[in-house]
Structures are given as C-alpha cells and as structure tokens.
Amino acid sequence: MVSMVNRRQVELAVIGGGPAGMAAALSARQAGIKEILVVERDAHLGGILQQCIHSGFGLHLLGKDLTGPEYAEHFIDQISASDTELMLDSMVIGLTPDRRLTVVNSSGVTEIGAKAVILAMGCRERTRGAILIPGSRPAGVYTAGTAQRLVNLQGFLPGREAVVLGSGDIGLIMARRLVLEGCKVKAVVEAMPWLGGLTRNLVQCLHDYDIPLYLQHTVTAVHGSHRVNAVSIARVDDHLRPIGGTESRCSCDLLLLAIGLIPENELSLQAGIILDDRTGGPLVTPNRETSVPGIFACGNVLQVHDLVDSVSREGSQVGQAAAERILRRAGETEQRSRIIPGDGIRSLVPQVYYWPAVSVLQLVGRVSHPIQKAVFVVTRSGICLYSITKQHLRPGEMFLLQLPARLLQSGGDLEVWVREVELCD
Amino acid sequence: MVYDVLIVGAGVIGCAIAREISRYQLKVLVLERGADVASGTSKANSGIIHAGYDAPPGSLMAKLNIAGARLIPGLCQELRVPYRQTGSLVVAGKGEVDQVKLQRLLQQGIANGVSGLQILPRGQLNHLVPLLNSNVELGLHAPTAGVVAPYELTIALAENAAQNGVEFLLEKTVTGITKGPDWLSVQCEGELFPARLVVNAAGVHADLIAALIDDRSFSIVPCKGQELILDKRCGDMTKLVVFPLPSPTSKGVVVAPTPAGNLLIGPTAEPDCDRADTITTRSGQQQVLDAARTLIPALSIKGVITSYAGLRAVADTGDFIIRFSEDCPRLLHVAGIKSPGLSAAPAIAEAVRNLIGERLLLKESPLFQPQRDVSPSRRNLELTDWHELIKTNPAYGRIICRCEQVSEGAIRDALRSPLPPGTIDGLKRRLRVGMGRCQGGFCLPHLISLFAEYTQLDPRSITKQGAGSEYVSGSLKEKLTGGEHGE
C-alpha cells in the first residue's frame, strides 16, 4: 500500500484567519475569485482579536467602538455568508516558492497548490530568553499575550501582584486587565524614554488605574525558586544599559513581558521570501506582493500595526491585488525601484514602488523617536520630490504619507527622512 | 517489603543504574527529591559525549568515559533517544604553548584508548567547521564524540527501567538512614523504605546522604555552569562540537549542535556554589557569548532563545567515587560524577552492577525488554507516515506546540507513559513543547488545559516543576463568591 498525503489545488490560499486574512479573503471574492481557502490554526476565526476583549476597535473603519471579538464578528459573519472554504484547527507547516502549502490537521497531511498565496500569520511575542533577563526560572513569567489568553479566554489569573516590563499596547492593556480582575499592578517599566504604545492607552490604562509608569528603567533579574517572588528593577542609561547602583527589588508574583512583537515569518523564510530587517516582515511592493511572485503579505506578518482598522484596509487591498494577479495571470511588467528609510525613520512599507505609477503611493511607517512637529522629506538622487509637515509623531503610532502618482513617472531609489522643526516654523 | 536495591537520585546516573539492574530479578526503588526524573544536574548539562582524551590516564573518569562513550550509541538506539555522532574539535592558535597543550591532549587520548584522534592543520579544518575563527591554526579531531539531550537520555533510561519493573517515587527527600539487621532503613520525612543495598546517586547532595550514616569521607563542592541555547536557524553554524583548550578546572565554553538542531554554547565554570544556586547572571551570559565568539565569531546574541544554569557535582577527591562506604557496607556511593559523567553513564551503571553483584545474587530476568516502549514521534516521521498516523488517530494532527510541531496525540501518549510527567517542565523535556523560539508563548495555555483535562486535576494545581510553582493563582470566578480579596 502506497501512502500518500492529500492533495488539493485552489486559486487563492490565505494563511491566517485573523482580521488581515479575513479582509483579504472577502475582497478577493468580491474581485471575482471563486476558490478561496483560509487556513487557520485556531478553532475559530478572529486571530488575536478573540482575546482582545477591550474596546477601541473599528473607530475608523466602522465608525463604532467595538471589542475585539465584536470587530472580528463583523468579518466572520461575512465570511460565513460567502463560499469561502475554511480549514480550522489546521497548521501550515511548509510553504514553497512555487506556492505549495503543507497543512496538518486531524484529517491528515494535505499539500495544497495555489495560484496566489496571502500571508496573514500575524506576530509572535519576544520572549524573556531572547533578551536574556537573568535570574531564576520560576513559574510566573509570562509574555503579555499569553497571559491575555489565559485571563480572557480561559478565565485564569496568572498571578496576584504584577510588574509589567514594556509599555507597548499589549502591556498597557494587560496592566489594566489585571487590575480589573482584582490584581495589583505595581509598575509598568519601560527602557525607552517614551511610551511604547498609543497615547490614549497611557490615559485609559495607566492614569485611570493609578498604575505607575517608570520610563528609562528595566528588569535586571527575576527572583524566586519555584514561583516569582520579586524582580530587580534598575535605571538605564541612554544606551539602555542598566546603571550600577540603581537596582531595587520589587516584590511580585507575576512578571508580564510586553517587550516586542515579531512578525511570524517562518513560512516566509521557507518560501525564500526576502525579509526587511527593520519591520521583520517581507519586502513588498505597493500591492504588498513579496519578492516571490504570487505571494502577498498583509497585517502584522508584514509589519506590526497599531490599529486593526488599518490591518483590515490593507487586507482588502491585498485581496484585490491577489485577485488581479490570478485573473491577469501575466507577470509584472512595471519597473521597480526601492524606497529607503533615512534619518528618523524606523521602518517603511512598501519598500519597493512601481513606475510609472498610476495611483497615489501610500507609504506607512514609524518614526524612530517622538517628534512634536516634523517635516517629512522624500528625495530621489538628492532632489526633493515631496515634503509635508506633521505633528505629534510617535514610534507607537504609524504615519501615512501619500505621494501623488505624477511624482513617480520615472524610476530611481527614493529616500524618505524626517526632521524635527521648531513649533513656530 | 524490603527492597533489594534503593537508588537515591533519579538523574542520569541513578536512572542508568536503575535500567541496568532492571535486567535482573531484583526489587528496585528509586527515590527522587524533585518532581520528576532529571530535575537536577541532568537537565542542565551540555549533553556532550566526550571521546575521552581529557581525563587523567588511569583515572576512573578516563576508563569509564571511554567505555561509556562506546556504549552510548547502541544504548540510544535501544532507548530510541536521538543521538548525533558529530565528532569534536579542540582548537588551538599560533602560540607554541597552545600547540604543546594540544599535543599533550592527543597523547593523553591515545594513552586512554581513544580511537581516531588526529591533529589537523587549518587547511583541513575549513571544511569541517567553515565558520571557525581565522586565528585557529590546529585542531584535535575526535570522531567518536557526539551529542545527546541529557534529559531525554535520563527520561528514556527511567521509562525503560519502569517498563522493566523498577519503582520510582518522586518528591521524596531522604532525611535519614538507619542500620537494620539485614537492611538499611531509608527515611523520607514520615516514611520508611527498607533496602538491602542503598545506592547514593544523589548528585550535588551525595555528601549529605553519606553524612546521614556519619560517612564524611568526601565532600561535594558544586560548580555552576550557565548555558545559552540558540535558535535552530543557527544550528548549522557548526556540525562538530568545538572546544577551546581545556583549563585545569573545566573543558571551557564549547559551541555544540544539539540533536534537535539548535546550537548550545557554554558552560561557565563557577566553583564553590551553593547546592541550590542555579540562577543565571548577566556576567555569566556575557562570558559565554564572548568565549563562544572566540571560537565562532559569527555567533550573535540575536540568535539566543533561552539560557539556564546547572550544577556540577564536584568531589574533593578529584575523581569519580564508585565504592562501598567504609562506614556502612550496604551503602554504595556513586558520587562526584561531574564531566565526563554523562559520557560515562552506561559504563558507570555496569560498574555499579558489578559491585551490587558482589553482595546480591543477580539472576537475569527473562522478561527484560531492552527496547523502550515509545510512541511515534514527529521527529522521525516523513510526511506520508505522519499522514498515516493521523488517520489512525486524529489527535496526532492537532498541533499544540507550533515551534516544535508537537501534536495533541503525542502529549496524550506522554501522559500515559510508564513514567508520566506530573509537571509542565516534565512534558517539555519529554516532547520539547515550549523549547522552541516562542518558548511556550503559544502552547502554554493549551498545555495547561490539556493537562488539566487529561489528569482531571484542577488547573490551579498544574505546576512548572512541582509544588510551589503553580502557573495559575486562581480563577476569575473566585472573585464573585468573595475569595481572599473579595469585598
């Protein structure tokens, strides 16, 4: 008996059934694609939204203030009403450059060939091990997202007295969640001189709940043989190194880590996709097509987004682009040039543009440090093509630049940089 | 009931002895203070099977390293433990002093009976370890060296021993030993375990066990070692174990591939540590990184996924202690088993069996099964085989640990094995759940649920490594019924 895995062929395969994947699948269907398969490792669609029970989702896209599951439901309802095929509880363990997926689930191993693939796998969290926090290795050290799942989906308290390391949104949201569930949060500790997450969360999660924030501090050791009983916290210098003599012990039984999200690109690497060091996600064109033809990326797998509304918008655009790719069947004929982040810019997407451009080029990105009032400058071969002034720029909040198509009729690498200007300029 | 042999300590040595003597018709009990086998030194060492050139000729260490290293590959096959015969390289630079040291190691190795040893010039090292530091001039190549996961070997030895009738009791700390007429009475808090022979394989506590019958013939001075593990993406940086020249106290910081495909760097050597000191330190971690980079400069902190520390049980006698106690002929010491203890383990077990044979009749058991009963593991399955396996049981297709591709089926099998884990760390060491780059971020909530469901335990009592290390402090619903903090 020859054993064979299952084999399938579809038009479009979407890896990940969170907000990015769902938006992409829906818009691909609207654009005329019939065989769409969404592969999702969890038992339900919704991705990380399932565990985000706080509100603030959909303000921009839907004009409503929804919780994560409610926002997800808006899309899940549409998916259910469509003919989109779902493989839930299914893990994609392989992806090839010629767009073949290997999927494992309780029915077996399936090899799926697709005319186009959309990557929407989201992020994983940076771990204690990756930043080498020394000390003992007791129970009670959790990344914030893992703790969020335990609390919000499984009804467990991971501890009673917490210290949160990292002031990104997930850290701030979980600090508030722990207080709401009756825990004490003794501090949110942040190594940078500024807040990592959205400004509104500083107010709505920390100030409103009397949780102290210590900027330019970090956790230097974990204590407790079986269960956390304290952490050491120290001030850091401008190079983020702990300053000797500033260490103090803070007793707690829970250390929550919100120290960064890493786009989950294991499959992308398998497919030979080139990643951008700055975003951690694939290098993409304005259509979000990666360096491997026919494979697109959207949502947090491409770059860590700040608002799910923009994830959904991006997903829609990518679904459309993938559909055009499938229907057109032909390869790219446009010319391409690079977009290079310069001073003051932490990351930019897309990293490649087409010319001659037929529509506005939307650049999203993050600045490296907070700037009250700034001018963005886009140059090509040293000549300024475009500039615009913006205010209240923060690393925690993505910016958007819109370059008119008329500026991109010929090629050449673009450099984008930002500088601070006087408030009265 | 009087046991024939009671082994104190379920590390790799205690479990190797248990498995060896499970060949015979003996009533054997293993007592372990931790919540699982391999919860002390055996879970934290580098996992290197040394070829045997780095031990003083004529010492027990040398003799048993050579014999043990020869037995390891066959043993790993019987027990279905992944083993890689990588070979090893001790590297030396330009200086004459270093080159003399390397020559001495070669001679020592030949004297000890190591086969295949050769000093290779730089030209021949390039294809063995392409990323080797350019300042390396010579390398002592030992093809018989290898790597194994020490906790996997320990657990496999224990499971096979249990399969063959050995009894294991966990979370039992020995607090007293008294002499009976034909036996020793081993006390664990309130309980008494009589045994005709007691084997002291208590690792860093071996001298404390000896002191229970006033035997103070040796002391153990623990020496801490900190290790770093790098992502599987770095696993190819070397195919061989790379050593610096050894120092009087340690073999130095090595760079070693692991059977699972990660890279291990370490350990430090921090002598005179407390018996319970397994904390990692920033300076220790930095020391490991710096030292490893002198061997392979391309190594970077960016690849690190975790770090941990363990304690070597160093005896003040300078060699392994494998002999009966002079104060008590029913107590057999197997102490001071520091490096090359892991490599020597199967040979130590045989030596101990011979000593036991001097006191007890060893009658072979016809029921002895040398092959460990083990469930199918993803690690050696082709996709088509995995597909077939899932068709027999769909649980093998539900992946719980994404990084290491461990299925629900595999987890259930582990919870049903002859020596099932009682802790999440125990599951981790059997299946590698939580050992990947996300370090349990994805799978831990699922593991807690699965564990609770399968064992019918309250999720609040599920621990990382035994009582006191519970993951969950309470459930949200407690608040409503006015728990501790309720109004």
Side-chain angles (χ1 to χ4, degrees):
Chain A
M1 183 187 76
V2 177
S3 68
M4 295 261 288
V5 303
N6 301 324
R7 278 177 216 282
R8 298 264 325 265
Q9 211 37 54
V10 296
E11 287 186 287
L12 175 66
V14 179
I15 307 181
M22 288 197 287
L26 286 170
S27 97
R29 168 154 312 283
Q30 272 196 313
I33 304 301
K34 301 268 185 331
E35 294 167 359
I36 303 175
L37 171 66
V38 175
V39 186
E40 164 57 51
R41 70 180 177 200
D42 212 332
H44 310 279
L45 294 174
I48 204 72
L49 290 173
Q50 294 175 84
Q51 63 188 58
C52 295
I53 64 174
H54 52 285
S55 61
F57 300 94
L59 292 167
H60 301 264
L61 191 75
L62 304 172
K64 298 183 195 175
D65 188 3
L66 301 175
T67 65
E70 286 173 328
Y71 184 94
E73 201 172 333
H74 171 86
F75 293 89
I76 294 172
D77 287 346
Q78 292 180 60
I79 294 260
S80 307
S82 73
D83 261 325
T84 309
E85 189 190 342
L86 303 176
M87 277 174 103
L88 298 173
D89 272 321
S90 302
M91 186 83 70
V92 180
I93 62 164
L95 180 64
T96 66
D98 60 343
R99 299 179 308 277
R100 276 178 297 119
L101 286 67
T102 306
V103 182
V104 179
N105 58 26
S106 53
S107 306
V109 179
T110 309
E111 218 180 68
I112 302 174
K115 296 190 182 151
V117 176
I118 297 179
L119 306 174
M121 296 89 76
C123 284
R124 66 171 186 267
E125 298 185 275
R126 183 167 281 114
T127 65
R128 171 191 177 176
I131 67 167
L132 285 176
I133 303 177
S136 55
R137 291 156 314 280
V141 179
Y142 286 100
T143 51
T146 303
Q148 190 181 53
R149 190 177 177 111
L150 276 173
V151 175
N152 293 348
L153 293 184
Q154 290 165 271
F156 296 141
L157 274 179
R160 298 209 186 261
E161 249 193 7
V163 168
V164 178
L165 176 61
S167 66
D169 289 318
I170 180 63
L172 305 176
I173 296 288
M174 274 311 289
R176 177 177 66 187
R177 172 58 45 198
L178 288 173
V179 171
L180 287 171
E181 301 298 346
C183 304
K184 185 155 170 53
V185 177
K186 297 180 94 173
V188 171
V189 175
E190 166 60 56
M192 300 299 272
W194 52 75
L195 191 79
L198 301 170
T199 309
R200 75 177 188 216
N201 285 329
L202 173 66
V203 175
Q204 294 173 11
C205 296
L206 299 190
H207 293 170
D208 286 354
Y209 290 85
D210 292 323
I211 299 172
L213 171 69
Y214 297 98
L215 296 176
Q216 293 194 282
H217 281 73
T218 196
V219 169
T220 52
V222 173
H223 308 284
S225 65
H226 282 54
R227 174 85 207 184
V228 174
N229 63 26
V231 295
S232 291
I233 299 174
R235 251 192 78 91
V236 299
D237 61 22
D238 290 336
H239 301 283
L240 307 186
R241 282 181 310 231
I243 299 171
T246 65
E247 245 178 39
S248 68
R249 230 181 235 229
C250 179
S251 69
C252 59
D253 70 351
L254 174 60
L255 173 63
L256 227 55
L257 301 173
I259 51 180
L261 295 176
I262 302 168
E264 185 60 78
N265 278 287
E266 308 316 318
L267 292 174
S268 317
L269 289 171
Q270 277 191 44
I273 289 169
I274 300 171
L275 300 185
D276 178 357
D277 270 341
R278 291 168 181 258
T279 57
L283 281 175
V284 292
T285 66
N287 279 345
R288 305 304 193 252
E289 190 166 18
T290 68
S291 60
V292 172
I295 304 186
F296 297 76
C298 59
N300 276 355
V301 79
L302 177 56
Q303 63 177 327
V304 177
H305 284 256
D306 52 354
L307 296 175
V308 75
D309 306 59
S310 51
V311 164
S312 298
R313 275 207 197 94
E314 187 175 65
S316 289
Q317 285 167 353
V318 172
Q320 170 106 18
E324 278 169 24
R325 170 62 103 149
I326 293 167
L327 296 170
R328 225 178 25 180
R329 263 176 279 262
E332 296 290 335
T333 49
E334 300 92 335
Q335 308 259 45
R336 300 176 189 202
S337 292
R338 293 181 308 165
I339 304 168
I340 301 170
D343 283 342
I345 307 281
R346 190 159 97 197
S347 65
L348 276 178
V349 172
Q351 298 91 342
V352 164
Y353 75 97
Y354 300 123
W355 56 274
V358 298
S359 56
V360 168
L361 173 64
Q362 308 215 327
L363 287 180
V364 294
R366 292 177 187 270
V367 293
S368 315
H369 55 275
I371 313 180
Q372 242 328 81
K373 188 174 175 193
V375 65
F376 282 92
V377 179
V378 180
T379 63
R380 184 166 57 203
S381 308
I383 299 168
C384 174
L385 285 187
Y386 176 85
S387 79
I388 189 166
T389 308
K390 287 186 186 280
Q391 300 208 45
H392 306 308
L393 295 162
R394 315 192 67 262
E397 295 165 19
M398 289 164 70
F399 63 77
L400 171 65
L401 302 178
Q402 312 209 61
L403 272 60
R406 63 178 164 75
L407 297 176
L408 305 170
Q409 296 307 303
S410 59
D413 290 349
L414 297 179
E415 204 185 85
V416 181
W417 44 274
V418 67
R419 68 173 173 86
E420 185 141 24
V421 292
E422 288 301 313
L423 282 168
C424 53
D425 271 0
Chain B
M1 172 173 68
V2 180
Y3 291 95
D4 292 309
V5 181
L6 189 156
I7 301 172
V8 181
V12 70
I13 301 302
C15 292
I17 295 168
R19 192 266 184 167
E20 180 57 33
I21 64 178
S22 73
R23 295 179 194 275
Y24 307 102
Q25 296 177 32
L26 295 169
K27 281 201 216 60
V28 182
L29 170 67
V30 179
L31 294 178
E32 164 58 46
R33 58 187 270 141
D36 196 3
V37 306
S39 55
T41 302
S42 298
K43 69 167 160 44
N45 77 66
S46 317
I48 296 165
I49 303 303
H50 299 286
Y53 47 76
D54 190 16
S59 65
L60 267 180
M61 281 183 181
K63 181 173 134 210
L64 295 172
N65 182 164
I66 306 283
R70 288 205 195 105
L71 292 169
I72 288 273
L75 181 65
C76 286
Q77 200 165 35
E78 281 183 329
L79 299 177
R80 329 276 187 119
V81 174
Y83 169 71
R84 275 174 68 181
Q85 187 147 334
T86 55
S88 67
L89 208 59
V90 180
V91 298
K94 273 207 185 77
E96 214 185 288
V97 172
D98 282 359
Q99 305 207 350
V100 164
K101 278 190 189 163
L102 206 63
Q103 268 296 328
R104 251 193 246 136
L105 268 185
L106 171 65
Q107 297 313 318
Q108 193 169 259
I110 293 172
N112 285 343
V114 180
S115 53
L117 278 180
Q118 245 193 316
I119 292 186
L120 300 174
R122 178 74 214 210
Q124 288 183 45
L125 297 179
N126 289 327
H127 84 274
L128 285 178
V129 187
L131 293 175
L132 207 49
N133 194 329
S134 56
N135 66 10
V136 170
E137 280 293 315
L138 295 174
L140 175 65
H141 181 223
T144 55
V147 293
V148 73
Y151 43 86
E152 282 183 358
L153 179 57
T154 306
I155 288 163
L157 286 161
E159 283 185 355
N160 188 230
Q163 202 185 319
N164 286 303
V166 172
E167 206 184 320
F168 284 80
L169 290 176
L170 306 168
E171 286 182 302
K172 298 270 183 248
T173 303
V174 172
T175 48
I177 304 180
T178 48
K179 299 180 188 175
D182 283 316
W183 58 75
L184 289 179
S185 209
V186 177
Q187 196 175 327
C188 289
E189 275 120 59
E191 294 171 274
L192 287 173
F193 300 98
R196 293 162 67 198
L197 277 186
V198 176
V199 174
N200 175 10
V204 295
H205 301 97
D207 53 346
L208 300 181
I209 296 294
L212 292 175
I213 47 127
D214 284 322
D215 177 341
R216 292 166 217 283
S217 57
F218 64 91
S219 45
I220 302 292
V221 187
C223 178
K224 183 161 71 174
Q226 300 188 42
E227 315 258 25
L228 269 55
I229 299 287
L230 277 69
D231 194 300
K232 287 183 180 180
R233 265 185 248 139
C234 305
D236 270 340
M237 291 185 92
T238 172
K239 298 230 174 350
L240 276 72
V241 180
V242 182
F243 290 92
L245 283 167
S247 80
T249 45
S250 97
K251 295 181 171 67
V253 168
V254 313
V255 181
T258 70
N262 294 93
L263 204 68
L264 178 149
I265 61 179
T268 55
E270 301 165 61
D272 215 351
C273 278
D274 186 275
R275 276 173 237 273
D277 178 8
T278 56
I279 66 164
T280 52
T281 61
R282 200 68 192 93
S283 62
Q285 292 163 338
Q286 194 61 51
Q287 205 189 316
V288 167
L289 269 169
D290 291 342
R293 273 200 282 249
T294 66
L295 299 172
I296 298 189
L299 282 173
S300 153
I301 192 175
K302 285 208 191 115
V304 176
I305 62 174
T306 192
S307 74
Y308 52 87
L311 295 166
R312 303 169 181 81
V314 182
D316 58 351
T317 60
D319 198 357
F320 292 159
I321 298 169
I322 305 176
R323 59 167 173 79
F324 288 102
S325 163
E326 279 168 28
D327 298 85
C328 175
R330 292 186 182 277
L331 181 62
L332 175 46
H333 296 311
V334 191
I337 313 298
K338 62 172 273 282
S339 179
L342 176 68
S343 319
I348 292 176
E350 289 186 345
V352 170
R353 175 210 59 205
N354 293 339
L355 286 172
I356 292 175
E358 288 174 12
R359 302 292 162 86
L360 301 178
L361 180 64
L362 296 181
K363 197 161 161 221
E364 277 188 24
S365 165
L367 302 171
F368 176 72
Q369 288 171 305
Q371 304 266 2
R372 178 172 66 133
D373 264 345
V374 72
S375 320
S377 160
R378 166 73 188 110
R379 284 161 77 180
N380 25 30
L381 281 182
E382 297 294 328
L383 286 177
T384 46
D385 295 330
W386 195 2
H387 180 66
E388 286 306 308
L389 184 64
I390 295 170
K391 292 209 293 211
T392 68
N393 182 351
Y396 287 110
R398 278 191 287 275
I399 297 185
I400 303 294
C401 168
R402 168 202 54 206
C403 300
E404 300 288 320
Q405 293 181 5
V406 183
S407 71
E408 186 185 314
I411 293 168
R412 289 181 184 281
D413 287 343
L415 291 169
R416 264 197 301 257
S417 72
L419 202 57
T423 62
I424 296 289
D425 272 0
L427 256 185
K428 179 168 95 164
R429 287 187 210 112
R430 283 157 178 75
L431 298 172
R432 296 190 55 79
V433 288
M435 283 189 174
R437 59 182 63 95
C438 91
Q439 290 287 292
F442 174 67
C443 64
L444 182 60
H446 298 280
L447 289 178
I448 292 175
S449 291
L450 254 182
F451 210 113
E453 179 204 312
Y454 194 80
T455 58
Q456 302 279 295
L457 282 174
D458 187 322
R460 287 168 294 181
S461 62
I462 292 171
T463 67
K464 184 175 192 291
Q465 48 168 333
S469 66
E470 288 75 13
Y471 279 107
V472 167
S473 304
S475 104
L476 303 189
K477 298 310 173 197
E478 281 168 22
K479 311 301 296 164
L480 298 176
T481 56
E484 232 181 315
H485 301 269
E487 317 276 358

